Amino acid sequence: MAKVVWGMIMSVDGFINDKEGSLAELYASFEPNEEINEAMAKTGAVIMGRNSFEMSEDTDAYADNYEFQVPLFILTHHPPEKHLKENDKLTITFVNDGIEDAISQARAAAGEKNVVVLGASTGQQALKAGLVEELQIAIAPILLGQGLRFFDHLENFEIRLEKVLTIETARQVEIWYKVIR
């Protein structure tokens, strides 16, 4: 059965970008592997926040070369006026009714495939709402010292996890957890 997965790469000290907001240092160590490629093939829709979406210098480029060629659901309070470039696999829907609505729309679009949640705030919202079923965390071998924390804003939430898989490559460690309800 399809599941909702929150996946990201973070530094050893828990940051998902550096003090300038860049992901470059983190992704310098990222190396796709068989499990990541298989997880990507099982992805039917992606949800991300507007900040994550607009990290691309050209948001029209998603249709041409984004790694997930599936429907994208962008969580935002202010959808753009301009309709963005899409293709026969990748469509872009802006959702302003909250994370529950975004997950519902993404599940419908994904069918039997998984929904992947990207971005710190969006993932935190989904986790708080009890909608995340699995965490996939890649840990980059770097200490950033500051930036945006992966697990900020989760005070007063106790979330238990069960390790599903650990993958160690020459450059990183990945840990996949099931969220226990």
Side-chain angles (χ1 to χ4, degrees):
M1 183 166 140
K3 57 189 162 205
V4 175
V5 177
W6 180 21
M8 296 198 64
I9 187 168
M10 72 175 186
S11 64
V12 172
D13 54 348
F15 295 100
I16 61 162
N17 63 23
D18 65 19
K19 62 184 175 186
E20 280 85 36
S22 174
L23 306 171
E25 290 295 322
L26 293 170
Y27 279 93
S29 69
F30 183 73
E31 56 183 1
N33 54 54
E34 185 178 324
E35 288 85 358
I36 290 291
N37 291 336
E38 185 178 318
M40 289 179 70
K42 290 180 181 177
T43 300
V46 171
I47 299 171
M48 68 178 80
R50 180 100 184 245
N51 288 340
S52 294
F53 179 70
E54 290 183 347
M55 288 186 85
S56 170
E57 291 178 19
D58 176 14
T59 52
D60 279 332
Y62 280 94
D64 298 325
N65 58 17
Y66 187 52
E67 58 199 2
F68 291 105
Q69 288 294 303
V70 298
L72 302 181
F73 294 85
I74 313 306
L75 194 58
T76 183
H77 294 293
H78 306 286
E81 293 180 21
K82 174 189 165 207
H83 188 78
L84 301 171
K85 183 177 178 184
E86 300 176 328
N87 63 41
D88 61 329
K89 295 178 184 170
L90 186 142
T91 57
I92 300 171
T93 303
F94 290 91
V95 181
N96 60 6
D97 287 336
I99 190 66
E100 292 87 354
D101 187 40
I103 298 257
S104 177
Q105 288 185 52
R107 277 189 183 274
E112 294 297 314
K113 292 190 170 189
N114 294 335
V115 172
V116 170
V117 178
L118 301 173
S121 177
T122 302
Q124 292 162 13
Q125 290 174 55
L127 194 61
K128 284 181 186 180
L131 300 170
V132 174
E133 297 164 83
E134 190 171 285
L135 289 173
Q136 295 177 354
I137 305 167
I139 302 170
I142 187 169
L143 296 168
L144 294 175
Q146 56 184 315
L148 182 61
R149 287 206 176 273
F150 190 12
F151 294 111
D152 244 356
H153 311 293
L154 293 175
E155 53 280 330
N156 300 320
F157 282 89
E158 184 174 303
I159 299 163
R160 299 207 179 273
L161 307 170
E162 177 184 307
K163 185 178 64 147
V164 175
L165 177 66
T166 303
I167 305 163
E168 186 175 336
T169 69
R171 296 172 148 183
Q172 70 196 26
V173 174
E174 296 172 31
I175 307 171
W176 298 16
Y177 293 102
K178 176 182 177 184
V179 177
I180 306 300
R181 304 216 189 286

